[in-house]
Amino acid sequence: QVQLVESGGGLVQPEGSLRLACDASGRAFGIYAMSWHRQAPGREREFVASIRWAGGGPLYTDAVKGRFNISRHRVKNTIYLQMNSLKPEDTAVYYCRLEGTTGNYWGQGTQVTVSS
């Protein structure tokens, strides 16, 4: 079993920045890829960004290209999402997802609110 814990959410003004983190822990698991997703009130959960553990370029949804950056720390089994130039439409619960050798897992989510 793998546990994912997100952190770093909060309230920020438009054009501000936040950095989310997702820590993966558990016994004897390998990681293929990790990703960020978000769900705004009344909307379906949507993909934001992903990164492969073995390397290769990250992927982003068009809405966040040029503003968000996903990165990983292989030793810590942690991913980050640096979010810059935040907009009110970025307001959502942000979830971390892990695709691994023992299955796929979701975190509990962290709230990001962009408002003046």
Side-chain angles (χ1 to χ4, degrees):
Q1 190 72 12
V2 175
Q3 293 79 44
L4 301 176
V5 178
E6 300 100 334
S7 61
L11 173 64
V12 63
Q13 293 186 343
E15 295 304 313
S17 297
L18 280 176
R19 189 190 193 213
L20 306 183
C22 174
D23 298 308
S25 63
R27 296 181 65 183
F29 66 96
I31 302 174
Y32 296 134
M34 292 184 72
S35 55
W36 289 99
H37 303 255
R38 66 187 181 185
Q39 187 167 18
R43 301 187 65 176
E44 294 186 353
R45 192 173 298 187
E46 65 174 359
F47 168 82
V48 175
S50 65
I51 190 164
R52 293 185 176 275
W53 224 242
L59 296 175
Y60 299 93
T61 189
D62 287 346
V64 308
K65 284 181 180 177
R67 301 189 296 123
F68 290 10
N69 182 66
I70 187 171
S71 59
R72 69 187 183 289
H73 193 302
R74 288 179 180 167
V75 174
K76 294 183 178 180
N77 287 338
T78 298
I79 61 169
Y80 306 95
L81 187 68
Q82 178 66 43
M83 305 186 294
N84 300 321
S85 302
L86 282 161
K87 304 175 182 181
E89 50 264 44
D90 294 317
T91 295
V93 178
Y94 283 71
Y95 296 90
C96 172
R97 183 173 187 261
L98 182 149
E99 299 172 37
T101 55
T102 60
N104 301 328
Y105 305 90
W106 289 93
Q108 83 289 349
T110 184
Q111 176 71 45
V112 172
T113 302
V114 185
S115 176
S116 55

